[in-house]
Amino acid sequence: MNNTGQQLAIAFKQTEWNTPNVYNQLRAIMKNEEEVYAFCLEFLTNNIKSSTLFDSALSYVSEEHFCILAKTAIAILQEKESKLAESLLEYASIQMPHILHPYIEELLAINANGDSYYADYYWRYLPAEQLEPYLTQFLHIDTDLETKIKVFNCLVESRNIQVIEQLIPHALTLELSTYASASDYVDGYLESVGLYIEQGKVKSYCSEQTYHILFEPKYLNKPSTVHLNRTDHPTWNGTPLADKYKIGGYLAEDENNPFMHIITLDPIPKGLNISLPTLVLGCHLRELNENGVVYYQHDEQGMPHKIGELGIIEWTEEYAMVPTEVSIAPTDARWAYQSWASSNSRENLFRIGGEPTWIQNADLLTCPISGEKMQFIMQLDSEIPDVQGGEVYYGSGGICYIFYCEKSRVSGYVMQCT
């Protein structure tokens, strides 16, 4: 007899979005591993059209079941085209790439997800012994340029610094792109995976420890009768640490360019390279939205002071976040990396540490005082409530990325949006 999850997938195939209370039905099964698996398996093998309903359900599939679904998706793609199978492999490569590591050759052969920006995500943290044959292939004189470019991209996605350092001297001699020089291409690709080159050495600008910022449910959640509420997702429901952190409000009010309080890190979360006992992060958000980047130097008490003259803002009008206290939760390995587009407004993108969730090309900041690359320390998503009853937006609804230079005690802000 069909279980509830399978029945929902069958009903959706027949009636699509006319299925009664479809998201409420999905919400009813998402904590039952067997039913969610049955829904995804039925959807994958017997539905034709890709769907955000299917994508939403994948976040609740256990690792054991995801392994089975991934193997099934690969088998489907070996026989025919399938957007659903490619979508499943996309989410597997983001949430748990290790389950795809046994299938590297098969995935290369079927070219899952083609030339999409996430096509090579499954190479993340591939074991060194699996990387060696591809490093040899890349360095071999008889390997054609197209293959070299593909292998270069895949090996950089692995984030294995020792392997990447062996790639770079040869990569710089190749025409990797018709749009950028080899050095710009290499730098850009490295920055997209949290790395950069300094004096010939590859380094990370990201901390190993990642946290999600957790809000009180009523602070953020917009009631929805159609979609899953944003706080249904596991990234909104981690186990919080004991410390509370103040966010929101103003550091200094100004009709033209107010100084918004972002967060006071007291204590500093473990894993961040910040020696100050307290760091107060604040930003002239209107200036950030109008000019794209702002910098602050912090005194011994951790208070920020803007570098450069206060700007005159002509086009933007933003207000401070509603003051509140938040918790932080160590991020489960499944969500240590998040893709902005694939998160599709479901996931919690309020993060401290780890890799930034770039919307566009990576934009690693350089400290205006030390001249050194800065460390990524946190990011903020849009649509947080402001003190005027509206919502805070970075650009047209993007993300604010915050960097820090330990040497000069400088924080830097950059935003991206579509």
Side-chain angles (χ1 to χ4, degrees):
M1 184 177 178
N2 296 342
N3 73 8
T4 305
Q6 187 178 21
Q7 289 173 347
L8 176 57
I10 293 170
F12 190 82
K13 181 181 180 180
Q14 296 170 343
T15 58
E16 296 188 354
W17 294 107
N18 292 319
T19 306
N21 300 315
V22 62
Y23 269 104
N24 285 335
Q25 289 193 62
L26 178 60
R27 185 179 290 111
I29 67 169
M30 66 189 185
K31 292 184 179 179
N32 185 311
E33 290 184 2
E34 294 295 333
E35 291 193 352
V36 170
Y37 168 63
F39 170 83
C40 291
L41 182 62
E42 175 69 30
F43 211 109
L44 174 65
T45 53
N46 290 312
N47 285 40
I48 298 174
K49 296 181 181 179
S50 57
S51 171
T52 56
L53 188 71
F54 177 71
D55 296 343
S56 297
L58 292 173
S59 290
Y60 306 96
V61 174
S62 69
E63 181 171 334
E64 176 186 2
H65 289 142
F66 226 136
C67 288
I68 301 170
L69 291 171
K71 188 174 181 179
T72 303
I74 291 169
I76 291 172
L77 289 170
Q78 288 172 328
E79 298 294 328
K80 61 181 181 180
E81 292 184 358
S82 169
K83 290 298 183 183
L84 279 168
E86 288 194 320
S87 183
L88 185 134
L89 293 176
E90 172 193 350
Y91 282 90
S93 69
I94 294 169
Q95 297 178 22
M96 45 185 73
H98 59 280
I99 71 172
L100 299 178
H101 291 169
Y103 307 105
I104 294 295
E105 289 294 328
E106 292 90 336
L107 290 166
L108 284 171
I110 61 179
N111 193 27
N113 291 306
D115 296 326
S116 62
Y117 65 90
Y118 48 80
D120 305 323
Y121 279 3
Y122 63 93
W123 285 72
R124 279 189 299 130
Y125 308 118
L126 192 70
E129 60 270 19
Q130 285 186 262
L131 296 174
E132 284 301 325
Y134 298 99
L135 175 61
T136 300
Q137 182 183 25
F138 176 79
L139 296 174
H140 199 281
I141 191 171
D142 292 332
T143 303
D144 64 88
L145 180 60
E146 184 179 355
T147 301
K148 283 179 182 279
I149 293 171
K150 175 67 174 179
V151 173
F152 173 84
N153 296 346
C154 291
L155 291 175
V156 171
E157 282 289 349
S158 77
R159 292 153 172 79
N160 185 306
I161 288 177
Q162 289 184 327
V163 168
I164 292 170
E165 285 183 340
Q166 295 177 73
L167 293 176
I168 290 173
H170 183 51
L172 292 174
T173 69
L174 303 174
E175 188 178 349
L176 296 170
S177 169
T178 57
Y179 303 102
S181 67
S183 60
D184 286 345
Y185 185 89
V186 169
D187 287 343
Y189 219 105
L190 288 177
E191 289 183 11
S192 74
V193 299
L195 304 173
Y196 68 99
I197 304 174
E198 184 178 76
Q199 298 179 343
K201 295 292 184 182
V202 176
K203 299 181 178 181
S204 173
Y205 63 83
C206 307
S207 63
E208 292 185 4
Q209 178 64 60
T210 310
Y211 304 89
H212 275 99
I213 299 173
L214 303 183
F215 301 84
E216 291 296 325
K218 291 182 180 179
Y219 184 81
L220 275 184
N221 210 14
K222 299 176 182 177
S224 172
T225 58
V226 180
H227 302 94
L228 295 179
N229 289 323
R230 65 192 308 188
T231 50
D232 283 331
H233 195 273
T235 49
W236 296 98
N237 294 286
T239 303
L241 301 178
D243 296 309
K244 295 282 189 177
Y245 295 88
K246 295 183 182 298
I247 71 164
Y250 292 98
L251 292 175
E253 296 195 49
D254 182 304
E255 285 188 5
N256 171 65
N257 195 3
F259 197 4
M260 320 293 198
H261 174 234
I262 301 298
I263 191 170
T264 297
L265 295 177
D266 181 17
I268 304 295
K270 291 181 180 179
L272 297 185
N273 183 28
I274 300 172
S275 60
L276 289 169
T278 300
L279 186 70
V280 179
L281 293 172
C283 176
H284 293 85
L285 176 55
R286 296 183 186 182
E287 191 167 346
L288 174 67
N289 276 344
E290 190 158 305
N291 299 330
V293 62
V294 285
Y295 295 95
Y296 303 86
Q297 190 162 32
H298 297 257
D299 59 28
E300 292 183 358
Q301 287 71 47
M303 293 297 296
H305 304 274
K306 189 173 184 298
I307 296 174
E309 297 295 323
L310 193 63
I312 303 299
I313 306 306
E314 297 181 5
W315 307 109
T316 59
E317 186 171 293
E318 304 287 355
Y319 299 96
M321 296 182 288
V322 172
T324 189
E325 287 191 338
V326 297
S327 303
I328 63 172
T331 298
D332 184 86
R334 181 167 181 172
W335 311 107
Y337 180 81
Q338 291 174 275
S339 165
W340 182 78
S342 300
S343 70
N344 200 23
S345 299
R346 293 183 293 266
E347 299 176 19
N348 181 359
L349 298 181
F350 294 89
R351 292 163 55 95
I352 293 177
E355 285 190 42
T357 307
W358 295 114
I359 296 175
Q360 301 175 16
N361 293 333
D363 193 4
L364 173 58
L365 296 185
T366 298
C367 176
I369 293 180
S370 71
E372 297 183 1
K373 299 294 186 183
M374 304 176 77
Q375 293 290 303
F376 171 72
I377 58 171
M378 69 179 295
Q379 70 184 34
L380 298 167
D381 203 356
S382 290
E383 298 185 356
I384 196 168
D386 72 26
V387 295
Q388 293 293 320
E391 294 176 327
V392 174
Y393 281 89
Y394 303 103
S396 58
I399 290 177
C400 171
Y401 308 89
I402 306 175
F403 291 81
Y404 186 75
C405 177
E406 170 66 11
K407 178 181 288 188
S408 55
R409 297 201 304 245
V410 167
S411 58
Y413 296 71
V414 64
M415 71 87 182
Q416 290 186 354
C417 61
T418 53

